Short mmCIF file of all heavy atoms in Angstrom, two decimals:
data_model
loop_
_atom_site.label_atom_id
_atom_site.label_comp_id
_atom_site.label_asym_id
_atom_site.label_seq_id
_atom_site.Cartn_x
_atom_site.Cartn_y
_atom_site.Cartn_z
N MET A 213 -11.51 -8.69 -21.48
CA MET A 213 -11.68 -8.39 -22.88
C MET A 213 -10.44 -8.93 -23.60
O MET A 213 -9.32 -8.71 -23.18
CB MET A 213 -11.82 -6.88 -23.09
CG MET A 213 -12.09 -6.50 -24.50
SD MET A 213 -12.24 -4.72 -24.82
CE MET A 213 -13.46 -4.21 -23.67
N SER A 214 -10.67 -9.61 -24.72
CA SER A 214 -9.56 -10.21 -25.46
C SER A 214 -8.76 -9.14 -26.20
O SER A 214 -9.25 -8.04 -26.47
CB SER A 214 -10.08 -11.25 -26.43
OG SER A 214 -10.81 -10.63 -27.46
N ILE A 215 -7.53 -9.49 -26.56
CA ILE A 215 -6.64 -8.56 -27.27
C ILE A 215 -7.21 -8.18 -28.65
O ILE A 215 -7.24 -6.99 -28.97
CB ILE A 215 -5.23 -9.17 -27.42
CG1 ILE A 215 -4.68 -9.47 -26.04
CG2 ILE A 215 -4.34 -8.29 -28.28
CD1 ILE A 215 -3.70 -8.50 -25.49
N PRO A 216 -7.66 -9.15 -29.48
CA PRO A 216 -8.21 -8.74 -30.78
C PRO A 216 -9.43 -7.82 -30.65
O PRO A 216 -9.58 -6.86 -31.43
CB PRO A 216 -8.59 -10.06 -31.45
CG PRO A 216 -7.72 -11.08 -30.80
CD PRO A 216 -7.55 -10.60 -29.38
N LEU A 217 -10.28 -8.10 -29.67
CA LEU A 217 -11.44 -7.23 -29.46
C LEU A 217 -11.00 -5.84 -29.01
O LEU A 217 -11.56 -4.83 -29.44
CB LEU A 217 -12.39 -7.85 -28.44
CG LEU A 217 -13.64 -7.05 -28.11
CD1 LEU A 217 -14.49 -6.83 -29.36
CD2 LEU A 217 -14.44 -7.74 -27.03
N SER A 218 -10.00 -5.77 -28.16
CA SER A 218 -9.49 -4.48 -27.70
C SER A 218 -8.92 -3.67 -28.85
O SER A 218 -9.15 -2.47 -28.95
CB SER A 218 -8.41 -4.69 -26.64
OG SER A 218 -8.93 -5.32 -25.51
N ILE A 219 -8.17 -4.34 -29.72
CA ILE A 219 -7.58 -3.65 -30.88
C ILE A 219 -8.68 -3.14 -31.81
O ILE A 219 -8.64 -1.99 -32.26
CB ILE A 219 -6.60 -4.58 -31.62
CG1 ILE A 219 -5.37 -4.84 -30.74
CG2 ILE A 219 -6.18 -3.98 -32.96
CD1 ILE A 219 -4.45 -5.92 -31.26
N ALA A 220 -9.66 -3.99 -32.08
CA ALA A 220 -10.77 -3.59 -32.95
C ALA A 220 -11.54 -2.42 -32.35
O ALA A 220 -11.93 -1.48 -33.06
CB ALA A 220 -11.70 -4.77 -33.20
N LEU A 221 -11.77 -2.45 -31.05
CA LEU A 221 -12.48 -1.37 -30.38
C LEU A 221 -11.68 -0.07 -30.44
O LEU A 221 -12.23 1.00 -30.72
CB LEU A 221 -12.78 -1.75 -28.94
CG LEU A 221 -13.55 -0.72 -28.13
CD1 LEU A 221 -14.93 -0.51 -28.73
CD2 LEU A 221 -13.67 -1.18 -26.69
N PHE A 222 -10.37 -0.15 -30.20
CA PHE A 222 -9.54 1.05 -30.24
C PHE A 222 -9.53 1.65 -31.64
O PHE A 222 -9.63 2.87 -31.81
CB PHE A 222 -8.10 0.76 -29.79
CG PHE A 222 -7.26 1.99 -29.74
CD1 PHE A 222 -7.34 2.87 -28.68
CD2 PHE A 222 -6.38 2.29 -30.78
CE1 PHE A 222 -6.58 4.03 -28.65
CE2 PHE A 222 -5.61 3.44 -30.76
CZ PHE A 222 -5.71 4.31 -29.69
N ILE A 223 -9.42 0.81 -32.67
CA ILE A 223 -9.42 1.31 -34.04
C ILE A 223 -10.75 1.99 -34.37
O ILE A 223 -10.78 3.05 -35.00
CB ILE A 223 -9.09 0.18 -35.03
CG1 ILE A 223 -7.63 -0.23 -34.88
CG2 ILE A 223 -9.39 0.60 -36.47
CD1 ILE A 223 -7.24 -1.47 -35.64
N THR A 224 -11.84 1.39 -33.92
CA THR A 224 -13.16 1.99 -34.16
C THR A 224 -13.28 3.34 -33.46
O THR A 224 -13.76 4.32 -34.05
CB THR A 224 -14.26 1.04 -33.68
OG1 THR A 224 -14.12 -0.21 -34.34
CG2 THR A 224 -15.64 1.62 -33.93
N ILE A 225 -12.85 3.40 -32.22
CA ILE A 225 -12.87 4.67 -31.47
C ILE A 225 -11.98 5.70 -32.16
O ILE A 225 -12.35 6.86 -32.31
CB ILE A 225 -12.45 4.46 -30.01
CG1 ILE A 225 -13.50 3.64 -29.27
CG2 ILE A 225 -12.21 5.79 -29.30
CD1 ILE A 225 -13.06 3.17 -27.89
N TRP A 226 -10.79 5.26 -32.61
CA TRP A 226 -9.83 6.17 -33.24
C TRP A 226 -10.42 6.81 -34.48
O TRP A 226 -10.33 8.03 -34.66
CB TRP A 226 -8.54 5.41 -33.58
CG TRP A 226 -7.40 6.32 -33.93
CD1 TRP A 226 -6.47 6.81 -33.08
CD2 TRP A 226 -7.07 6.83 -35.23
NE1 TRP A 226 -5.58 7.61 -33.76
CE2 TRP A 226 -5.93 7.64 -35.08
CE3 TRP A 226 -7.63 6.69 -36.49
CZ2 TRP A 226 -5.33 8.29 -36.15
CZ3 TRP A 226 -7.04 7.34 -37.56
CH2 TRP A 226 -5.90 8.14 -37.39
N TRP A 227 -11.03 6.01 -35.36
CA TRP A 227 -11.61 6.56 -36.58
C TRP A 227 -12.79 7.49 -36.28
O TRP A 227 -12.96 8.52 -36.94
CB TRP A 227 -12.05 5.45 -37.54
CG TRP A 227 -10.89 4.94 -38.33
CD1 TRP A 227 -10.21 3.79 -38.11
CD2 TRP A 227 -10.25 5.58 -39.44
NE1 TRP A 227 -9.19 3.67 -39.02
CE2 TRP A 227 -9.19 4.75 -39.85
CE3 TRP A 227 -10.48 6.77 -40.12
CZ2 TRP A 227 -8.37 5.08 -40.91
CZ3 TRP A 227 -9.64 7.09 -41.19
CH2 TRP A 227 -8.60 6.25 -41.57
N THR A 228 -13.59 7.14 -35.29
CA THR A 228 -14.72 7.99 -34.93
C THR A 228 -14.23 9.35 -34.42
O THR A 228 -14.75 10.40 -34.80
CB THR A 228 -15.60 7.30 -33.87
OG1 THR A 228 -16.00 6.02 -34.38
CG2 THR A 228 -16.80 8.13 -33.52
N VAL A 229 -13.22 9.31 -33.56
CA VAL A 229 -12.66 10.56 -33.02
C VAL A 229 -11.98 11.36 -34.13
O VAL A 229 -12.07 12.59 -34.16
CB VAL A 229 -11.69 10.26 -31.85
CG1 VAL A 229 -10.95 11.51 -31.42
CG2 VAL A 229 -12.45 9.65 -30.68
N LEU A 230 -11.31 10.68 -35.05
CA LEU A 230 -10.64 11.39 -36.16
C LEU A 230 -11.65 12.22 -36.94
O LEU A 230 -11.40 13.39 -37.24
CB LEU A 230 -9.94 10.42 -37.10
CG LEU A 230 -9.31 11.06 -38.34
CD1 LEU A 230 -8.15 11.96 -37.94
CD2 LEU A 230 -8.86 10.00 -39.32
N PHE A 231 -12.80 11.63 -37.27
CA PHE A 231 -13.79 12.38 -38.03
C PHE A 231 -14.37 13.55 -37.22
O PHE A 231 -14.84 14.53 -37.79
CB PHE A 231 -14.90 11.47 -38.54
CG PHE A 231 -14.43 10.58 -39.65
CD1 PHE A 231 -14.57 9.21 -39.55
CD2 PHE A 231 -13.84 11.10 -40.78
CE1 PHE A 231 -14.13 8.38 -40.58
CE2 PHE A 231 -13.39 10.29 -41.81
CZ PHE A 231 -13.54 8.93 -41.71
N ALA A 232 -14.33 13.45 -35.90
CA ALA A 232 -14.79 14.57 -35.07
C ALA A 232 -13.72 15.67 -34.99
O ALA A 232 -14.05 16.85 -34.89
CB ALA A 232 -15.14 14.07 -33.67
N VAL A 233 -12.44 15.28 -35.06
CA VAL A 233 -11.34 16.23 -34.89
C VAL A 233 -10.95 16.91 -36.20
O VAL A 233 -10.46 18.05 -36.20
CB VAL A 233 -10.11 15.49 -34.28
CG1 VAL A 233 -8.85 16.32 -34.34
CG2 VAL A 233 -10.40 15.09 -32.85
N LEU A 234 -11.18 16.28 -37.33
CA LEU A 234 -10.74 16.81 -38.62
C LEU A 234 -11.15 18.26 -38.90
O LEU A 234 -10.34 19.03 -39.40
CB LEU A 234 -11.21 15.91 -39.76
CG LEU A 234 -10.32 14.73 -40.08
CD1 LEU A 234 -10.96 13.89 -41.18
CD2 LEU A 234 -8.93 15.15 -40.48
N PRO A 235 -12.37 18.68 -38.61
CA PRO A 235 -12.72 20.06 -38.97
C PRO A 235 -12.11 21.14 -38.09
O PRO A 235 -12.17 22.32 -38.45
CB PRO A 235 -14.24 20.09 -38.85
CG PRO A 235 -14.69 18.79 -38.35
CD PRO A 235 -13.52 17.90 -38.20
N PHE A 236 -11.52 20.81 -36.96
CA PHE A 236 -10.98 21.83 -36.05
C PHE A 236 -9.82 22.58 -36.69
O PHE A 236 -8.84 22.01 -37.13
CB PHE A 236 -10.50 21.22 -34.73
CG PHE A 236 -11.60 20.62 -33.90
CD1 PHE A 236 -11.32 19.62 -32.99
CD2 PHE A 236 -12.91 21.03 -34.01
CE1 PHE A 236 -12.30 19.06 -32.21
CE2 PHE A 236 -13.91 20.48 -33.24
CZ PHE A 236 -13.60 19.49 -32.33
N GLY A 237 -9.94 23.90 -36.73
CA GLY A 237 -8.85 24.75 -37.19
C GLY A 237 -8.60 24.77 -38.69
O GLY A 237 -7.58 25.27 -39.13
N VAL A 238 -9.51 24.24 -39.48
CA VAL A 238 -9.31 24.19 -40.93
C VAL A 238 -9.79 25.50 -41.55
O VAL A 238 -10.88 25.97 -41.27
CB VAL A 238 -10.07 22.99 -41.54
CG1 VAL A 238 -9.99 23.05 -43.06
CG2 VAL A 238 -9.51 21.70 -41.04
N ARG A 239 -8.94 26.07 -42.38
CA ARG A 239 -9.29 27.27 -43.14
C ARG A 239 -9.26 26.90 -44.61
O ARG A 239 -8.30 26.31 -45.08
CB ARG A 239 -8.29 28.39 -42.88
CG ARG A 239 -8.13 28.80 -41.43
CD ARG A 239 -9.13 29.75 -40.97
NE ARG A 239 -9.14 30.92 -41.84
CZ ARG A 239 -9.95 31.93 -41.69
NH1 ARG A 239 -10.80 31.93 -40.72
NH2 ARG A 239 -9.92 32.94 -42.53
N SER A 240 -10.32 27.24 -45.33
CA SER A 240 -10.37 26.92 -46.76
C SER A 240 -9.61 27.97 -47.56
O SER A 240 -9.29 29.06 -47.07
CB SER A 240 -11.82 26.86 -47.22
OG SER A 240 -12.40 28.14 -47.23
N GLN A 241 -9.34 27.62 -48.82
CA GLN A 241 -8.67 28.57 -49.71
C GLN A 241 -9.54 29.80 -49.91
O GLN A 241 -9.02 30.92 -50.00
CB GLN A 241 -8.39 27.91 -51.06
CG GLN A 241 -7.37 26.82 -51.00
CD GLN A 241 -7.13 26.18 -52.35
OE1 GLN A 241 -7.51 26.72 -53.39
NE2 GLN A 241 -6.49 25.03 -52.35
N HIS A 242 -10.84 29.60 -49.95
CA HIS A 242 -11.76 30.73 -50.13
C HIS A 242 -11.69 31.68 -48.93
O HIS A 242 -11.68 32.91 -49.11
CB HIS A 242 -13.18 30.21 -50.33
CG HIS A 242 -14.20 31.29 -50.49
ND1 HIS A 242 -14.25 32.09 -51.61
CD2 HIS A 242 -15.19 31.71 -49.67
CE1 HIS A 242 -15.24 32.96 -51.47
NE2 HIS A 242 -15.83 32.75 -50.31
N GLU A 243 -11.64 31.14 -47.73
CA GLU A 243 -11.56 31.98 -46.52
C GLU A 243 -10.24 32.73 -46.44
O GLU A 243 -10.20 33.87 -45.99
CB GLU A 243 -11.73 31.12 -45.27
CG GLU A 243 -13.11 30.54 -45.10
CD GLU A 243 -13.18 29.55 -43.96
OE1 GLU A 243 -12.16 28.93 -43.61
OE2 GLU A 243 -14.29 29.40 -43.41
N GLN A 244 -9.17 32.09 -46.88
CA GLN A 244 -7.85 32.71 -46.82
C GLN A 244 -7.63 33.70 -47.97
O GLN A 244 -6.74 34.54 -47.88
CB GLN A 244 -6.76 31.64 -46.90
CG GLN A 244 -6.64 30.78 -45.66
CD GLN A 244 -6.04 31.52 -44.51
OE1 GLN A 244 -6.76 32.07 -43.68
NE2 GLN A 244 -4.74 31.55 -44.43
N GLY A 245 -8.41 33.55 -49.05
CA GLY A 245 -8.19 34.39 -50.21
C GLY A 245 -6.97 33.95 -51.00
O GLY A 245 -6.39 34.72 -51.75
N ASN A 246 -6.55 32.71 -50.81
CA ASN A 246 -5.34 32.18 -51.43
C ASN A 246 -5.73 31.05 -52.37
O ASN A 246 -5.44 29.89 -52.12
CB ASN A 246 -4.40 31.68 -50.33
CG ASN A 246 -3.03 31.33 -50.85
OD1 ASN A 246 -2.71 31.62 -51.99
ND2 ASN A 246 -2.24 30.71 -50.01
N MET A 247 -6.38 31.39 -53.49
CA MET A 247 -6.90 30.38 -54.41
C MET A 247 -5.79 29.86 -55.33
O MET A 247 -5.06 30.63 -55.92
CB MET A 247 -8.01 30.98 -55.26
CG MET A 247 -9.20 31.50 -54.47
SD MET A 247 -10.16 30.20 -53.75
CE MET A 247 -10.90 29.54 -55.20
N VAL A 248 -5.71 28.53 -55.42
CA VAL A 248 -4.79 27.87 -56.35
C VAL A 248 -5.62 27.46 -57.56
O VAL A 248 -6.67 26.83 -57.41
CB VAL A 248 -4.12 26.65 -55.69
CG1 VAL A 248 -3.24 25.92 -56.68
CG2 VAL A 248 -3.34 27.07 -54.46
N ALA A 249 -5.14 27.79 -58.74
CA ALA A 249 -5.89 27.49 -59.97
C ALA A 249 -6.11 25.98 -60.11
O ALA A 249 -5.20 25.19 -59.89
CB ALA A 249 -5.14 28.01 -61.18
N GLY A 250 -7.35 25.61 -60.44
CA GLY A 250 -7.68 24.21 -60.68
C GLY A 250 -8.07 23.42 -59.44
O GLY A 250 -8.27 22.22 -59.52
N THR A 251 -8.16 24.06 -58.28
CA THR A 251 -8.56 23.36 -57.06
C THR A 251 -9.91 23.88 -56.58
O THR A 251 -10.36 24.95 -56.98
CB THR A 251 -7.52 23.55 -55.93
OG1 THR A 251 -7.41 24.94 -55.63
CG2 THR A 251 -6.16 23.01 -56.34
N ASP A 252 -10.51 23.10 -55.71
CA ASP A 252 -11.81 23.48 -55.15
C ASP A 252 -11.61 24.62 -54.16
O ASP A 252 -10.65 24.59 -53.36
CB ASP A 252 -12.42 22.27 -54.44
CG ASP A 252 -13.82 22.54 -53.96
OD1 ASP A 252 -14.75 22.47 -54.79
OD2 ASP A 252 -13.97 22.84 -52.76
N PRO A 253 -12.50 25.62 -54.16
CA PRO A 253 -12.35 26.73 -53.21
C PRO A 253 -12.46 26.28 -51.75
O PRO A 253 -11.94 26.94 -50.86
CB PRO A 253 -13.50 27.67 -53.56
CG PRO A 253 -13.98 27.26 -54.89
CD PRO A 253 -13.58 25.85 -55.10
N GLY A 254 -13.10 25.14 -51.50
CA GLY A 254 -13.25 24.66 -50.13
C GLY A 254 -12.09 23.80 -49.67
O GLY A 254 -12.10 23.30 -48.54
N ALA A 255 -11.08 23.61 -50.51
CA ALA A 255 -9.93 22.78 -50.14
C ALA A 255 -9.16 23.47 -49.01
O ALA A 255 -8.97 24.68 -49.02
CB ALA A 255 -9.02 22.57 -51.33
N PRO A 256 -8.71 22.69 -48.03
CA PRO A 256 -8.00 23.31 -46.90
C PRO A 256 -6.63 23.84 -47.32
O PRO A 256 -5.96 23.28 -48.17
CB PRO A 256 -7.85 22.17 -45.90
CG PRO A 256 -8.00 20.93 -46.68
CD PRO A 256 -8.86 21.25 -47.85
N VAL A 257 -6.23 24.93 -46.67
CA VAL A 257 -4.92 25.52 -46.94
C VAL A 257 -3.84 24.72 -46.24
O VAL A 257 -2.85 24.32 -46.84
CB VAL A 257 -4.89 27.00 -46.49
CG1 VAL A 257 -3.51 27.59 -46.67
CG2 VAL A 257 -5.91 27.80 -47.27
N ALA A 258 -4.01 24.46 -44.96
CA ALA A 258 -3.04 23.69 -44.18
C ALA A 258 -3.81 22.75 -43.25
O ALA A 258 -4.20 23.14 -42.15
CB ALA A 258 -2.15 24.63 -43.37
N PRO A 259 -4.06 21.51 -43.68
CA PRO A 259 -4.90 20.62 -42.87
C PRO A 259 -4.25 20.13 -41.57
O PRO A 259 -4.94 19.70 -40.67
CB PRO A 259 -5.19 19.45 -43.80
CG PRO A 259 -4.11 19.47 -44.81
CD PRO A 259 -3.69 20.90 -44.94
N ARG A 260 -2.92 20.18 -41.44
CA ARG A 260 -2.18 19.76 -40.24
C ARG A 260 -2.61 18.37 -39.78
O ARG A 260 -3.02 18.16 -38.64
CB ARG A 260 -2.37 20.78 -39.12
CG ARG A 260 -1.91 22.16 -39.53
CD ARG A 260 -2.03 23.19 -38.47
NE ARG A 260 -3.11 22.94 -37.54
CZ ARG A 260 -3.35 23.66 -36.47
NH1 ARG A 260 -2.61 24.68 -36.22
NH2 ARG A 260 -4.35 23.37 -35.67
N LEU A 261 -2.52 17.40 -40.68
CA LEU A 261 -2.99 16.05 -40.41
C LEU A 261 -2.18 15.33 -39.34
O LEU A 261 -2.74 14.55 -38.57
CB LEU A 261 -3.02 15.23 -41.71
CG LEU A 261 -4.02 15.72 -42.74
CD1 LEU A 261 -3.92 14.88 -44.00
CD2 LEU A 261 -5.42 15.68 -42.19
N LEU A 262 -0.88 15.56 -39.26
CA LEU A 262 -0.06 14.89 -38.25
C LEU A 262 -0.48 15.32 -36.84
O LEU A 262 -0.63 14.47 -35.95
CB LEU A 262 1.42 15.18 -38.48
CG LEU A 262 2.37 14.47 -37.52
CD1 LEU A 262 2.22 12.95 -37.63
CD2 LEU A 262 3.80 14.88 -37.80
N ILE A 263 -0.68 16.60 -36.64
CA ILE A 263 -1.12 17.11 -35.34
C ILE A 263 -2.49 16.53 -34.98
O ILE A 263 -2.73 16.11 -33.85
CB ILE A 263 -1.19 18.65 -35.35
CG1 ILE A 263 0.18 19.25 -35.63
CG2 ILE A 263 -1.78 19.20 -34.07
CD1 ILE A 263 1.19 19.05 -34.53
N LYS A 264 -3.38 16.48 -35.96
CA LYS A 264 -4.72 15.94 -35.72
C LYS A 264 -4.67 14.45 -35.42
O LYS A 264 -5.44 13.95 -34.59
CB LYS A 264 -5.64 16.23 -36.89
CG LYS A 264 -5.95 17.72 -36.98
CD LYS A 264 -6.84 18.05 -38.12
CE LYS A 264 -7.05 19.56 -38.15
NZ LYS A 264 -7.99 19.97 -39.16
N ALA A 265 -3.78 13.72 -36.07
CA ALA A 265 -3.63 12.29 -35.79
C ALA A 265 -3.10 12.07 -34.37
O ALA A 265 -3.54 11.15 -33.67
CB ALA A 265 -2.70 11.64 -36.81
N LEU A 266 -2.19 12.92 -33.94
CA LEU A 266 -1.66 12.80 -32.57
C LEU A 266 -2.76 13.11 -31.54
O LEU A 266 -2.91 12.39 -30.55
CB LEU A 266 -0.47 13.73 -32.37
CG LEU A 266 0.79 13.35 -33.15
CD1 LEU A 266 1.85 14.44 -33.01
CD2 LEU A 266 1.33 12.02 -32.68
N TRP A 267 -3.51 14.18 -31.77
CA TRP A 267 -4.61 14.51 -30.86
C TRP A 267 -5.66 13.41 -30.85
O TRP A 267 -6.22 13.07 -29.80
CB TRP A 267 -5.26 15.84 -31.24
CG TRP A 267 -4.57 17.01 -30.61
CD1 TRP A 267 -3.81 17.94 -31.23
CD2 TRP A 267 -4.55 17.35 -29.22
NE1 TRP A 267 -3.33 18.84 -30.31
CE2 TRP A 267 -3.78 18.50 -29.06
CE3 TRP A 267 -5.13 16.78 -28.09
CZ2 TRP A 267 -3.55 19.10 -27.84
CZ3 TRP A 267 -4.91 17.39 -26.86
CH2 TRP A 267 -4.14 18.52 -26.75
N THR A 268 -5.93 12.85 -32.02
CA THR A 268 -6.91 11.76 -32.13
C THR A 268 -6.45 10.57 -31.32
O THR A 268 -7.25 9.94 -30.62
CB THR A 268 -7.10 11.37 -33.61
OG1 THR A 268 -7.60 12.49 -34.32
CG2 THR A 268 -8.05 10.21 -33.75
N THR A 269 -5.17 10.24 -31.37
CA THR A 269 -4.64 9.11 -30.62
C THR A 269 -4.75 9.35 -29.12
O THR A 269 -5.14 8.44 -28.37
CB THR A 269 -3.17 8.86 -31.03
OG1 THR A 269 -3.12 8.65 -32.44
CG2 THR A 269 -2.60 7.66 -30.30
N VAL A 270 -4.43 10.55 -28.68
CA VAL A 270 -4.52 10.87 -27.24
C VAL A 270 -5.97 10.78 -26.76
O VAL A 270 -6.26 10.15 -25.73
CB VAL A 270 -3.92 12.27 -26.96
CG1 VAL A 270 -4.23 12.73 -25.56
CG2 VAL A 270 -2.43 12.26 -27.23
N ILE A 271 -6.87 11.40 -27.49
CA ILE A 271 -8.28 11.40 -27.09
C ILE A 271 -8.84 9.98 -27.13
O ILE A 271 -9.57 9.56 -26.22
CB ILE A 271 -9.10 12.34 -27.99
CG1 ILE A 271 -8.65 13.79 -27.77
CG2 ILE A 271 -10.59 12.20 -27.74
CD1 ILE A 271 -9.17 14.76 -28.81
N SER A 272 -8.48 9.22 -28.16
CA SER A 272 -8.95 7.84 -28.28
C SER A 272 -8.44 6.97 -27.15
O SER A 272 -9.16 6.11 -26.63
CB SER A 272 -8.53 7.24 -29.62
OG SER A 272 -9.10 7.94 -30.67
N ALA A 273 -7.19 7.17 -26.75
CA ALA A 273 -6.62 6.40 -25.65
C ALA A 273 -7.36 6.69 -24.35
O ALA A 273 -7.62 5.77 -23.56
CB ALA A 273 -5.14 6.71 -25.50
N ILE A 274 -7.71 7.93 -24.12
CA ILE A 274 -8.45 8.30 -22.91
C ILE A 274 -9.84 7.65 -22.92
O ILE A 274 -10.26 7.07 -21.91
CB ILE A 274 -8.55 9.84 -22.78
CG1 ILE A 274 -7.18 10.42 -22.51
CG2 ILE A 274 -9.55 10.23 -21.70
CD1 ILE A 274 -7.11 11.93 -22.64
N ILE A 275 -10.53 7.73 -24.06
CA ILE A 275 -11.86 7.12 -24.16
C ILE A 275 -11.76 5.60 -24.00
O ILE A 275 -12.56 4.99 -23.29
CB ILE A 275 -12.52 7.49 -25.50
CG1 ILE A 275 -12.84 8.98 -25.53
CG2 ILE A 275 -13.78 6.66 -25.75
CD1 ILE A 275 -13.27 9.48 -26.90
N PHE A 276 -10.77 4.99 -24.65
CA PHE A 276 -10.59 3.55 -24.56
C PHE A 276 -10.29 3.10 -23.13
O PHE A 276 -10.85 2.12 -22.65
CB PHE A 276 -9.48 3.09 -25.51
CG PHE A 276 -9.22 1.62 -25.45
CD1 PHE A 276 -10.10 0.73 -26.04
CD2 PHE A 276 -8.11 1.12 -24.81
CE1 PHE A 276 -9.87 -0.64 -25.99
CE2 PHE A 276 -7.86 -0.23 -24.75
CZ PHE A 276 -8.75 -1.12 -25.34
N CYS A 277 -9.42 3.82 -22.45
CA CYS A 277 -9.10 3.48 -21.06
C CYS A 277 -10.33 3.62 -20.17
O CYS A 277 -10.54 2.79 -19.27
CB CYS A 277 -7.96 4.35 -20.54
SG CYS A 277 -6.37 3.92 -21.26
N GLY A 278 -11.12 4.64 -20.40
CA GLY A 278 -12.35 4.80 -19.63
C GLY A 278 -13.32 3.66 -19.88
O GLY A 278 -13.92 3.12 -18.95
N PHE A 279 -13.46 3.27 -21.14
CA PHE A 279 -14.35 2.16 -21.48
C PHE A 279 -13.82 0.85 -20.89
O PHE A 279 -14.58 0.04 -20.35
CB PHE A 279 -14.49 2.04 -23.00
CG PHE A 279 -15.42 0.94 -23.41
CD1 PHE A 279 -16.79 1.12 -23.32
CD2 PHE A 279 -14.94 -0.26 -23.89
CE1 PHE A 279 -17.67 0.11 -23.69
CE2 PHE A 279 -15.79 -1.28 -24.27
CZ PHE A 279 -17.16 -1.10 -24.16
N LEU A 280 -12.51 0.63 -20.98
CA LEU A 280 -11.91 -0.58 -20.44
C LEU A 280 -12.08 -0.66 -18.92
O LEU A 280 -12.40 -1.71 -18.37
CB LEU A 280 -10.42 -0.63 -20.80
CG LEU A 280 -9.68 -1.92 -20.51
CD1 LEU A 280 -10.30 -3.07 -21.30
CD2 LEU A 280 -8.22 -1.78 -20.85
N ALA A 281 -11.91 0.47 -18.24
CA ALA A 281 -12.13 0.50 -16.79
C ALA A 281 -13.58 0.20 -16.46
O ALA A 281 -13.86 -0.54 -15.50
CB ALA A 281 -11.73 1.86 -16.23
N TYR A 282 -14.50 0.72 -17.24
CA TYR A 282 -15.92 0.45 -17.02
C TYR A 282 -16.21 -1.03 -17.20
O TYR A 282 -16.93 -1.63 -16.39
CB TYR A 282 -16.76 1.29 -17.98
CG TYR A 282 -18.23 0.98 -17.90
CD1 TYR A 282 -18.99 1.44 -16.82
CD2 TYR A 282 -18.85 0.20 -18.87
CE1 TYR A 282 -20.34 1.14 -16.74
CE2 TYR A 282 -20.19 -0.11 -18.79
CZ TYR A 282 -20.93 0.36 -17.72
OH TYR A 282 -22.26 0.05 -17.62
N VAL A 283 -15.68 -1.64 -18.24
CA VAL A 283 -15.94 -3.06 -18.51
C VAL A 283 -15.32 -3.95 -17.43
O VAL A 283 -15.94 -4.92 -17.00
CB VAL A 283 -15.40 -3.45 -19.92
CG1 VAL A 283 -15.38 -4.95 -20.10
CG2 VAL A 283 -16.22 -2.79 -21.00
N GLU A 284 -14.13 -3.62 -17.00
CA GLU A 284 -13.42 -4.47 -16.04
C GLU A 284 -13.95 -4.31 -14.61
O GLU A 284 -13.98 -5.29 -13.86
CB GLU A 284 -11.93 -4.16 -16.06
CG GLU A 284 -11.25 -4.52 -17.36
CD GLU A 284 -11.24 -6.03 -17.62
OE1 GLU A 284 -11.11 -6.80 -16.65
OE2 GLU A 284 -11.36 -6.41 -18.80
N TYR A 285 -14.34 -3.13 -14.21
CA TYR A 285 -14.67 -2.88 -12.81
C TYR A 285 -16.14 -2.62 -12.52
O TYR A 285 -16.52 -2.50 -11.37
CB TYR A 285 -13.84 -1.70 -12.29
CG TYR A 285 -12.36 -1.97 -12.40
CD1 TYR A 285 -11.56 -1.23 -13.25
CD2 TYR A 285 -11.78 -2.99 -11.65
CE1 TYR A 285 -10.20 -1.49 -13.35
CE2 TYR A 285 -10.42 -3.25 -11.76
CZ TYR A 285 -9.63 -2.50 -12.60
OH TYR A 285 -8.29 -2.77 -12.71
N ALA A 286 -16.96 -2.51 -13.54
CA ALA A 286 -18.38 -2.25 -13.28
C ALA A 286 -19.20 -3.52 -13.33
O ALA A 286 -18.90 -4.53 -13.78
CB ALA A 286 -18.92 -1.26 -14.30
#
């Protein structure tokens, strides 16, 4: 598999996993009872995006390595 194709595949996997990971552990302002004036009640209180990006990278790397092993050895 070529390097540009590998990079494109990893980025695609990363974004797909990110959208799967984003809802984990999110509490809305409405659920917390901590409403900020002028914001949507469904807005997250603490989205923890850095932690989710790190988890997304780890999960994506595992999926990518599994796919790469399948392509190379199967």
Side-chain angles (χ1 to χ4, degrees):
M213 184 181 306
S214 69
I215 301 259
L217 179 60
S218 297
I219 291 170
L221 182 63
F222 183 79
I223 290 171
T224 303
I225 293 170
W226 193 91
W227 278 102
T228 304
V229 171
L230 176 67
F231 288 125
V233 168
L234 275 177
F236 295 155
V238 174
R239 303 276 305 178
S240 70
Q241 292 179 15
H242 178 69
E243 292 172 334
Q244 289 288 94
N246 190 10
M247 300 289 289
V248 177
T251 61
D252 186 80
V257 175
R260 302 181 331 175
L261 294 178
L262 183 60
I263 299 292
K264 291 180 182 185
L266 292 173
W267 273 110
T268 299
T269 303
V270 169
I271 294 167
S272 297
I274 292 168
I275 292 170
F276 178 75
C277 288
F279 182 76
L280 189 61
Y282 175 76
V283 167
E284 294 294 324
Y285 300 114

